[in-house]
Amino acid sequence: MAADLVVIGLGHVGLPLSRAAVSAGLATVGYDVSGTVVSGLAAGSSHVGGVLDAEVAVMLDAGFHATTDPAVLDGAQTVVICVPTGLTPEGLPDLSAVEDAARAVAARLRPGMLIVLESTSYPGTTEDVVRPLLEHGSGLRAGEDFHLAYSPQRIDPGNETWTIRNTPKVVSGCSALCAKYAVAFYSRFVDHLVVARGTREAEMAKLLENTYRYVNMALVDEVALFCHETGIDIWDVLHCAASKPFGFAPFRPGPGVGGHCVPVDPRYLAARAESHGFAFHTLAAAHEVLGRMPNHVVDRVLALLTEVRGRPEGARALLLGITYKADVADVRETPAHPVAAGLLAAGAEVSYHDPYIAEFTVGGRSLPRAENLQEAMAQADVAILLQDHACYAREALGQARCALLDTRGKAVGSRVTLL
């Protein structure tokens, strides 16, 4: 029996999308090139934070299954591509996964199918990359024989308030009819849809959303650096500024930026702009500032260690929270990597505490994981609060016996040093 929906890529976007579709009663199948992912889901095990094992079990009971066999695409009414879009070693957009997915679909594309790209990419990806691959591989025409659309994902890991159902979703198509079919599909499990003028506008909107965060994070980080140099309390500055009910959106400084979207998406925008001979000076400046933050944290820690024990060599440094986001089990692009690397290079002994991450490797070296927070802080010379997990109580941090560098503005105490 043909599926209502095949989701290509069962990661942080594809699996939650599959869950939402199954909940809406769509006969859904997941297609992924990773045998480990597929076998894990078949066993009822979720590899994605925010999707529980129990929810995978419910999906399986409803008929969902995952496979590495592209034959599952045969006869599907709708195919949504949710594969990752990262960067090459040179820092350029890497669309290889999108291209591979498009080729797999093209080989089994049939008239009347709806193909939607959700992977984040630069404006023109749907029309200039995916569409030619689909048309050349199938002999069919988008907008005439099949429907092609773009709808950027807006999944926020760990956010229990805004879900796929109630988060407004941007939808676009290569033609008005394509957009109409995409609206009909997503309206089955999304409450509010926003129809863009075209796929390029929708693609650009996604990049703007994350670039907005990127630039504002850089701004508040640079303000924090200035405040440190001049003896101004950045946290009180932010408290006061955030009281303005209009014209100001609060952002908070930190040890650096992480995750798959915010550090990557602006690079897609910059690369596309460069290909058109346009320079995004704001992005370049933000990139420079954000790249400085992990080194700033390392410098602050080394200064603390010099103060408390005379030198950093042999000192015991404890990282608190190594994920890129609070209470989310995800270390993609986490600033904990460069912070740990900098401390190791200075001769410090580095360990970490994080309830969400069982193993953490830096430069091929596996860092020791502390199980008991209080014992670990009692044994450390310095602790560095990198991520504001709920388990790190303000009072406990403030009573730490070791020196504590707080990059999140959470702790208060005689041995606490703020970023």
Side-chain angles (χ1 to χ4, degrees), residues 96-126:
S96 58
V98 170
E99 294 167 347
D100 289 344
R103 292 188 186 99
V105 174
R108 299 174 184 276
L109 191 56
R110 298 292 181 270
M113 289 176 65
L114 169 65
I115 313 301
V116 186
L117 177 65
E118 283 211 5
S119 304
T120 303
S121 187
Y122 54 75
T125 300
T126 305

PDB file of all heavy atoms in Angstrom, residues 96-126:
ATOM      1  N   SER A  96      24.998  18.369  -0.789  1.00  0.00           N
ATOM      2  CA  SER A  96      25.109  17.004  -1.308  1.00  0.00           C
ATOM      3  C   SER A  96      23.963  16.119  -0.848  1.00  0.00           C
ATOM      4  O   SER A  96      23.443  15.305  -1.625  1.00  0.00           O
ATOM      5  CB  SER A  96      26.448  16.387  -0.900  1.00  0.00           C
ATOM      6  OG  SER A  96      26.613  16.382   0.514  1.00  0.00           O
ATOM      7  N   ALA A  97      23.528  16.274   0.410  1.00  0.00           N
ATOM      8  CA  ALA A  97      22.424  15.446   0.910  1.00  0.00           C
ATOM      9  C   ALA A  97      21.113  15.801   0.214  1.00  0.00           C
ATOM     10  O   ALA A  97      20.306  14.916  -0.100  1.00  0.00           O
ATOM     11  CB  ALA A  97      22.284  15.605   2.422  1.00  0.00           C
ATOM     12  N   VAL A  98      20.894  17.080  -0.045  1.00  0.00           N
ATOM     13  CA  VAL A  98      19.691  17.517  -0.768  1.00  0.00           C
ATOM     14  C   VAL A  98      19.713  16.965  -2.195  1.00  0.00           C
ATOM     15  O   VAL A  98      18.699  16.464  -2.706  1.00  0.00           O
ATOM     16  CB  VAL A  98      19.590  19.052  -0.786  1.00  0.00           C
ATOM     17  CG1 VAL A  98      18.493  19.510  -1.742  1.00  0.00           C
ATOM     18  CG2 VAL A  98      19.312  19.578   0.619  1.00  0.00           C
ATOM     19  N   GLU A  99      20.859  17.049  -2.834  1.00  0.00           N
ATOM     20  CA  GLU A  99      20.983  16.552  -4.207  1.00  0.00           C
ATOM     21  C   GLU A  99      20.758  15.048  -4.278  1.00  0.00           C
ATOM     22  O   GLU A  99      20.071  14.552  -5.182  1.00  0.00           O
ATOM     23  CB  GLU A  99      22.361  16.920  -4.759  1.00  0.00           C
ATOM     24  CG  GLU A  99      22.543  18.417  -4.931  1.00  0.00           C
ATOM     25  CD  GLU A  99      23.985  18.819  -5.175  1.00  0.00           C
ATOM     26  OE1 GLU A  99      24.880  17.953  -4.966  1.00  0.00           O
ATOM     27  OE2 GLU A  99      24.218  19.972  -5.563  1.00  0.00           O
ATOM     28  N   ASP A 100      21.317  14.320  -3.315  1.00  0.00           N
ATOM     29  CA  ASP A 100      21.115  12.865  -3.289  1.00  0.00           C
ATOM     30  C   ASP A 100      19.646  12.521  -3.089  1.00  0.00           C
ATOM     31  O   ASP A 100      19.117  11.595  -3.722  1.00  0.00           O
ATOM     32  CB  ASP A 100      21.955  12.235  -2.170  1.00  0.00           C
ATOM     33  CG  ASP A 100      23.445  12.257  -2.472  1.00  0.00           C
ATOM     34  OD1 ASP A 100      23.810  12.463  -3.641  1.00  0.00           O
ATOM     35  OD2 ASP A 100      24.237  12.080  -1.520  1.00  0.00           O
ATOM     36  N   ALA A 101      18.983  13.265  -2.200  1.00  0.00           N
ATOM     37  CA  ALA A 101      17.562  13.016  -1.951  1.00  0.00           C
ATOM     38  C   ALA A 101      16.740  13.314  -3.194  1.00  0.00           C
ATOM     39  O   ALA A 101      15.821  12.553  -3.544  1.00  0.00           O
ATOM     40  CB  ALA A 101      17.077  13.865  -0.781  1.00  0.00           C
ATOM     41  N   ALA A 102      17.061  14.402  -3.882  1.00  0.00           N
ATOM     42  CA  ALA A 102      16.329  14.764  -5.100  1.00  0.00           C
ATOM     43  C   ALA A 102      16.505  13.701  -6.176  1.00  0.00           C
ATOM     44  O   ALA A 102      15.547  13.351  -6.893  1.00  0.00           O
ATOM     45  CB  ALA A 102      16.796  16.119  -5.610  1.00  0.00           C
ATOM     46  N   ARG A 103      17.697  13.154  -6.294  1.00  0.00           N
ATOM     47  CA  ARG A 103      17.933  12.099  -7.292  1.00  0.00           C
ATOM     48  C   ARG A 103      17.146  10.837  -6.941  1.00  0.00           C
ATOM     49  O   ARG A 103      16.607  10.166  -7.829  1.00  0.00           O
ATOM     50  CB  ARG A 103      19.425  11.784  -7.372  1.00  0.00           C
ATOM     51  CG  ARG A 103      20.262  12.913  -7.962  1.00  0.00           C
ATOM     52  CD  ARG A 103      21.697  12.472  -8.194  1.00  0.00           C
ATOM     53  NE  ARG A 103      22.525  13.590  -8.636  1.00  0.00           N
ATOM     54  CZ  ARG A 103      23.320  14.292  -7.846  1.00  0.00           C
ATOM     55  NH1 ARG A 103      23.393  13.993  -6.548  1.00  0.00           N
ATOM     56  NH2 ARG A 103      24.035  15.295  -8.340  1.00  0.00           N
ATOM     57  N   ALA A 104      17.088  10.520  -5.654  1.00  0.00           N
ATOM     58  CA  ALA A 104      16.335   9.339  -5.234  1.00  0.00           C
ATOM     59  C   ALA A 104      14.850   9.500  -5.550  1.00  0.00           C
ATOM     60  O   ALA A 104      14.188   8.558  -6.001  1.00  0.00           O
ATOM     61  CB  ALA A 104      16.536   9.098  -3.739  1.00  0.00           C
ATOM     62  N   VAL A 105      14.326  10.707  -5.333  1.00  0.00           N
ATOM     63  CA  VAL A 105      12.918  10.970  -5.634  1.00  0.00           C
ATOM     64  C   VAL A 105      12.683  10.948  -7.143  1.00  0.00           C
ATOM     65  O   VAL A 105      11.694  10.383  -7.625  1.00  0.00           O
ATOM     66  CB  VAL A 105      12.485  12.328  -5.047  1.00  0.00           C
ATOM     67  CG1 VAL A 105      11.059  12.668  -5.484  1.00  0.00           C
ATOM     68  CG2 VAL A 105      12.583  12.308  -3.522  1.00  0.00           C
ATOM     69  N   ALA A 106      13.595  11.550  -7.894  1.00  0.00           N
ATOM     70  CA  ALA A 106      13.433  11.642  -9.348  1.00  0.00           C
ATOM     71  C   ALA A 106      13.299  10.272  -9.994  1.00  0.00           C
ATOM     72  O   ALA A 106      12.526  10.092 -10.939  1.00  0.00           O
ATOM     73  CB  ALA A 106      14.619  12.396  -9.962  1.00  0.00           C
ATOM     74  N   ALA A 107      14.030   9.296  -9.449  1.00  0.00           N
ATOM     75  CA  ALA A 107      14.003   7.954 -10.025  1.00  0.00           C
ATOM     76  C   ALA A 107      12.638   7.285  -9.861  1.00  0.00           C
ATOM     77  O   ALA A 107      12.336   6.331 -10.584  1.00  0.00           O
ATOM     78  CB  ALA A 107      15.083   7.092  -9.378  1.00  0.00           C
ATOM     79  N   ARG A 108      11.821   7.798  -8.946  1.00  0.00           N
ATOM     80  CA  ARG A 108      10.523   7.173  -8.669  1.00  0.00           C
ATOM     81  C   ARG A 108       9.375   8.181  -8.705  1.00  0.00           C
ATOM     82  O   ARG A 108       8.280   7.901  -8.206  1.00  0.00           O
ATOM     83  CB  ARG A 108      10.579   6.477  -7.296  1.00  0.00           C
ATOM     84  CG  ARG A 108      11.650   5.386  -7.266  1.00  0.00           C
ATOM     85  CD  ARG A 108      11.832   4.774  -5.889  1.00  0.00           C
ATOM     86  NE  ARG A 108      12.911   3.802  -5.881  1.00  0.00           N
ATOM     87  CZ  ARG A 108      12.788   2.524  -6.251  1.00  0.00           C
ATOM     88  NH1 ARG A 108      11.614   2.063  -6.649  1.00  0.00           N
ATOM     89  NH2 ARG A 108      13.820   1.713  -6.222  1.00  0.00           N
ATOM     90  N   LEU A 109       9.645   9.320  -9.296  1.00  0.00           N
ATOM     91  CA  LEU A 109       8.637  10.371  -9.373  1.00  0.00           C
ATOM     92  C   LEU A 109       7.518   9.990 -10.339  1.00  0.00           C
ATOM     93  O   LEU A 109       7.768   9.485 -11.433  1.00  0.00           O
ATOM     94  CB  LEU A 109       9.296  11.677  -9.832  1.00  0.00           C
ATOM     95  CG  LEU A 109       8.486  12.975  -9.740  1.00  0.00           C
ATOM     96  CD1 LEU A 109       7.995  13.214  -8.326  1.00  0.00           C
ATOM     97  CD2 LEU A 109       9.339  14.135 -10.216  1.00  0.00           C
ATOM     98  N   ARG A 110       6.291  10.247  -9.906  1.00  0.00           N
ATOM     99  CA  ARG A 110       5.123   9.925 -10.724  1.00  0.00           C
ATOM    100  C   ARG A 110       4.229  11.159 -10.835  1.00  0.00           C
ATOM    101  O   ARG A 110       4.245  12.034  -9.962  1.00  0.00           O
ATOM    102  CB  ARG A 110       4.330   8.765 -10.098  1.00  0.00           C
ATOM    103  CG  ARG A 110       5.111   7.459  -9.998  1.00  0.00           C
ATOM    104  CD  ARG A 110       5.394   6.862 -11.385  1.00  0.00           C
ATOM    105  NE  ARG A 110       6.130   5.600 -11.288  1.00  0.00           N
ATOM    106  CZ  ARG A 110       7.444   5.494 -11.287  1.00  0.00           C
ATOM    107  NH1 ARG A 110       8.182   6.601 -11.382  1.00  0.00           N
ATOM    108  NH2 ARG A 110       8.030   4.336 -11.199  1.00  0.00           N
ATOM    109  N   PRO A 111       3.445  11.270 -11.890  1.00  0.00           N
ATOM    110  CA  PRO A 111       2.546  12.421 -12.046  1.00  0.00           C
ATOM    111  C   PRO A 111       1.625  12.588 -10.837  1.00  0.00           C
ATOM    112  O   PRO A 111       1.124  11.608 -10.276  1.00  0.00           O
ATOM    113  CB  PRO A 111       1.752  12.082 -13.307  1.00  0.00           C
ATOM    114  CG  PRO A 111       2.668  11.197 -14.091  1.00  0.00           C
ATOM    115  CD  PRO A 111       3.374  10.362 -13.064  1.00  0.00           C
ATOM    116  N   GLY A 112       1.434  13.838 -10.440  1.00  0.00           N
ATOM    117  CA  GLY A 112       0.522  14.149  -9.350  1.00  0.00           C
ATOM    118  C   GLY A 112       1.168  14.190  -7.983  1.00  0.00           C
ATOM    119  O   GLY A 112       0.524  14.628  -7.013  1.00  0.00           O
ATOM    120  N   MET A 113       2.426  13.762  -7.846  1.00  0.00           N
ATOM    121  CA  MET A 113       3.087  13.767  -6.541  1.00  0.00           C
ATOM    122  C   MET A 113       3.428  15.186  -6.103  1.00  0.00           C
ATOM    123  O   MET A 113       3.679  16.065  -6.928  1.00  0.00           O
ATOM    124  CB  MET A 113       4.356  12.913  -6.575  1.00  0.00           C
ATOM    125  CG  MET A 113       4.106  11.413  -6.670  1.00  0.00           C
ATOM    126  SD  MET A 113       5.632  10.430  -6.837  1.00  0.00           S
ATOM    127  CE  MET A 113       6.424  10.760  -5.267  1.00  0.00           C
ATOM    128  N   LEU A 114       3.427  15.396  -4.798  1.00  0.00           N
ATOM    129  CA  LEU A 114       3.865  16.650  -4.201  1.00  0.00           C
ATOM    130  C   LEU A 114       5.223  16.422  -3.553  1.00  0.00           C
ATOM    131  O   LEU A 114       5.370  15.540  -2.703  1.00  0.00           O
ATOM    132  CB  LEU A 114       2.858  17.129  -3.145  1.00  0.00           C
ATOM    133  CG  LEU A 114       3.322  18.290  -2.243  1.00  0.00           C
ATOM    134  CD1 LEU A 114       3.542  19.566  -3.054  1.00  0.00           C
ATOM    135  CD2 LEU A 114       2.302  18.528  -1.117  1.00  0.00           C
ATOM    136  N   ILE A 115       6.211  17.217  -3.952  1.00  0.00           N
ATOM    137  CA  ILE A 115       7.551  17.147  -3.375  1.00  0.00           C
ATOM    138  C   ILE A 115       7.817  18.460  -2.649  1.00  0.00           C
ATOM    139  O   ILE A 115       7.693  19.537  -3.237  1.00  0.00           O
ATOM    140  CB  ILE A 115       8.634  16.930  -4.457  1.00  0.00           C
ATOM    141  CG1 ILE A 115       8.226  15.813  -5.427  1.00  0.00           C
ATOM    142  CG2 ILE A 115       9.978  16.655  -3.809  1.00  0.00           C
ATOM    143  CD1 ILE A 115       7.989  14.472  -4.773  1.00  0.00           C
ATOM    144  N   VAL A 116       8.167  18.363  -1.385  1.00  0.00           N
ATOM    145  CA  VAL A 116       8.429  19.557  -0.582  1.00  0.00           C
ATOM    146  C   VAL A 116       9.843  19.493  -0.020  1.00  0.00           C
ATOM    147  O   VAL A 116      10.247  18.463   0.533  1.00  0.00           O
ATOM    148  CB  VAL A 116       7.436  19.693   0.588  1.00  0.00           C
ATOM    149  CG1 VAL A 116       7.659  21.021   1.314  1.00  0.00           C
ATOM    150  CG2 VAL A 116       6.001  19.587   0.112  1.00  0.00           C
ATOM    151  N   LEU A 117      10.576  20.570  -0.162  1.00  0.00           N
ATOM    152  CA  LEU A 117      11.882  20.700   0.478  1.00  0.00           C
ATOM    153  C   LEU A 117      11.718  21.497   1.763  1.00  0.00           C
ATOM    154  O   LEU A 117      11.178  22.603   1.747  1.00  0.00           O
ATOM    155  CB  LEU A 117      12.861  21.413  -0.459  1.00  0.00           C
ATOM    156  CG  LEU A 117      14.264  21.680   0.105  1.00  0.00           C
ATOM    157  CD1 LEU A 117      15.002  20.380   0.384  1.00  0.00           C
ATOM    158  CD2 LEU A 117      15.068  22.563  -0.842  1.00  0.00           C
ATOM    159  N   GLU A 118      12.180  20.922   2.880  1.00  0.00           N
ATOM    160  CA  GLU A 118      12.167  21.649   4.160  1.00  0.00           C
ATOM    161  C   GLU A 118      13.575  22.007   4.615  1.00  0.00           C
ATOM    162  O   GLU A 118      13.753  22.817   5.514  1.00  0.00           O
ATOM    163  CB  GLU A 118      11.465  20.834   5.251  1.00  0.00           C
ATOM    164  CG  GLU A 118       9.956  20.835   5.167  1.00  0.00           C
ATOM    165  CD  GLU A 118       9.289  20.714   6.537  1.00  0.00           C
ATOM    166  OE1 GLU A 118       9.996  20.727   7.559  1.00  0.00           O
ATOM    167  OE2 GLU A 118       8.043  20.603   6.579  1.00  0.00           O
ATOM    168  N   SER A 119      14.580  21.392   4.027  1.00  0.00           N
ATOM    169  CA  SER A 119      15.961  21.660   4.419  1.00  0.00           C
ATOM    170  C   SER A 119      16.302  23.132   4.193  1.00  0.00           C
ATOM    171  O   SER A 119      15.967  23.705   3.157  1.00  0.00           O
ATOM    172  CB  SER A 119      16.915  20.783   3.611  1.00  0.00           C
ATOM    173  OG  SER A 119      16.593  19.410   3.745  1.00  0.00           O
ATOM    174  N   THR A 120      16.981  23.724   5.141  1.00  0.00           N
ATOM    175  CA  THR A 120      17.360  25.129   5.035  1.00  0.00           C
ATOM    176  C   THR A 120      18.462  25.307   3.997  1.00  0.00           C
ATOM    177  O   THR A 120      19.452  24.579   3.998  1.00  0.00           O
ATOM    178  CB  THR A 120      17.850  25.657   6.387  1.00  0.00           C
ATOM    179  OG1 THR A 120      16.827  25.469   7.367  1.00  0.00           O
ATOM    180  CG2 THR A 120      18.207  27.125   6.304  1.00  0.00           C
ATOM    181  N   SER A 121      18.291  26.283   3.113  1.00  0.00           N
ATOM    182  CA  SER A 121      19.310  26.554   2.117  1.00  0.00           C
ATOM    183  C   SER A 121      19.142  27.971   1.586  1.00  0.00           C
ATOM    184  O   SER A 121      18.235  28.706   1.987  1.00  0.00           O
ATOM    185  CB  SER A 121      19.236  25.541   0.974  1.00  0.00           C
ATOM    186  OG  SER A 121      20.335  25.707   0.088  1.00  0.00           O
ATOM    187  N   TYR A 122      20.010  28.345   0.672  1.00  0.00           N
ATOM    188  CA  TYR A 122      19.994  29.697   0.136  1.00  0.00           C
ATOM    189  C   TYR A 122      18.870  29.885  -0.881  1.00  0.00           C
ATOM    190  O   TYR A 122      18.362  28.919  -1.452  1.00  0.00           O
ATOM    191  CB  TYR A 122      21.338  30.048  -0.491  1.00  0.00           C
ATOM    192  CG  TYR A 122      21.817  29.072  -1.547  1.00  0.00           C
ATOM    193  CD1 TYR A 122      21.257  29.050  -2.821  1.00  0.00           C
ATOM    194  CD2 TYR A 122      22.848  28.190  -1.271  1.00  0.00           C
ATOM    195  CE1 TYR A 122      21.700  28.169  -3.788  1.00  0.00           C
ATOM    196  CE2 TYR A 122      23.299  27.298  -2.236  1.00  0.00           C
ATOM    197  CZ  TYR A 122      22.729  27.304  -3.493  1.00  0.00           C
ATOM    198  OH  TYR A 122      23.163  26.422  -4.446  1.00  0.00           O
ATOM    199  N   PRO A 123      18.466  31.130  -1.116  1.00  0.00           N
ATOM    200  CA  PRO A 123      17.407  31.389  -2.101  1.00  0.00           C
ATOM    201  C   PRO A 123      17.789  30.871  -3.479  1.00  0.00           C
ATOM    202  O   PRO A 123      18.878  31.151  -3.980  1.00  0.00           O
ATOM    203  CB  PRO A 123      17.289  32.920  -2.091  1.00  0.00           C
ATOM    204  CG  PRO A 123      17.826  33.336  -0.769  1.00  0.00           C
ATOM    205  CD  PRO A 123      18.915  32.371  -0.451  1.00  0.00           C
ATOM    206  N   GLY A 124      16.899  30.116  -4.074  1.00  0.00           N
ATOM    207  CA  GLY A 124      17.133  29.537  -5.380  1.00  0.00           C
ATOM    208  C   GLY A 124      17.374  28.041  -5.341  1.00  0.00           C
ATOM    209  O   GLY A 124      17.403  27.390  -6.394  1.00  0.00           O
ATOM    210  N   THR A 125      17.529  27.456  -4.157  1.00  0.00           N
ATOM    211  CA  THR A 125      17.818  26.027  -4.066  1.00  0.00           C
ATOM    212  C   THR A 125      16.697  25.178  -4.659  1.00  0.00           C
ATOM    213  O   THR A 125      16.938  24.232  -5.414  1.00  0.00           O
ATOM    214  CB  THR A 125      18.060  25.620  -2.604  1.00  0.00           C
ATOM    215  OG1 THR A 125      19.174  26.344  -2.092  1.00  0.00           O
ATOM    216  CG2 THR A 125      18.337  24.129  -2.491  1.00  0.00           C
ATOM    217  N   THR A 126      15.458  25.509  -4.326  1.00  0.00           N
ATOM    218  CA  THR A 126      14.329  24.720  -4.821  1.00  0.00           C
ATOM    219  C   THR A 126      14.245  24.777  -6.343  1.00  0.00           C
ATOM    220  O   THR A 126      14.103  23.751  -7.015  1.00  0.00           O
ATOM    221  CB  THR A 126      13.010  25.216  -4.205  1.00  0.00           C
ATOM    222  OG1 THR A 126      13.116  25.191  -2.772  1.00  0.00           O
ATOM    223  CG2 THR A 126      11.845  24.326  -4.630  1.00  0.00           C
TER     224      THR A 126
END
